[in-house]
Amino acid sequence: MDSGPIQPDTPEPARIDPIRAGLLCRCPNCGKGPLFSGFLKVVERCAVCGFDFARLNTGDGAAIFIMQISGGLVVFGALFVQIAYAPPIWAMLIVALPLVVGLSLGLMRPGKGVMIALQMRNRAGQARTDD
């Protein structure tokens, strides 16, 4: 008689949403371990499940997306305020520059976490040329 399905030797990843885990800066594999050891330094291995993050590398991808998002929001917001209320340029600079810096720094960790989670979910790796 068959006693049931054969269990694989390697455990399956937890059924979690990798995007949510990336936004929360948690391991996209288990959803529990921290993803970063510094501000943007990714841990070598997950402290909870042991997943190896050494092969995952997002490079500057997250920074490019975050600069585009925060810059677009601030520029279009400043353009609207300038057209609607015509404040002096020094007032716009006092508000817009800290806003773009704050948005960029605030979105960088979750953005990099999402990029790592998407890279892991799609099983993307480094491109190679084998000639």
Side-chain angles (χ1 to χ4, degrees), residues 2-18:
D2 191 13
S3 63
I6 298 173
Q7 297 295 327
D9 292 337
T10 59
E12 289 292 320
R15 297 277 181 189
I16 61 166
D17 183 23

Side-chain angles (χ1 to χ4, degrees), residues 30-54:
C30 66
K32 296 179 180 158
L35 186 58
F36 298 105
S37 62
F39 181 65
L40 290 177
K41 180 162 175 38
V42 180
V43 296
E44 295 292 325
R45 294 188 159 278
C46 176
V48 176
C49 69
F51 185 81
D52 183 23
F53 289 107

Side-chain angles (χ1 to χ4, degrees), residues 19-115:
I19 304 296
R20 183 175 178 186
L23 285 173
L24 295 174
C25 300
R26 295 288 175 199
C27 171
N29 191 46
C30 66
K32 296 179 180 158
L35 186 58
F36 298 105
S37 62
F39 181 65
L40 290 177
K41 180 162 175 38
V42 180
V43 296
E44 295 292 325
R45 294 188 159 278
C46 176
V48 176
C49 69
F51 185 81
D52 183 23
F53 289 107
R55 63 182 175 86
L56 298 176
N57 182 13
T58 61
D60 292 334
I64 298 298
F65 285 119
I66 297 305
M67 284 190 308
Q68 296 294 321
I69 291 168
S70 63
L73 290 173
V74 171
V75 165
F76 286 115
L79 183 63
F80 173 76
V81 169
Q82 187 67 38
I83 290 172
Y85 304 108
I89 194 70
W90 61 267
M92 292 295 294
L93 289 174
I94 288 175
V95 172
L97 291 178
L99 188 59
V100 77
V101 169
L103 275 173
S104 296
L105 292 176
L107 293 174
M108 192 59 67
R109 278 179 65 123
K112 188 165 183 171
V114 168
M115 292 287 286

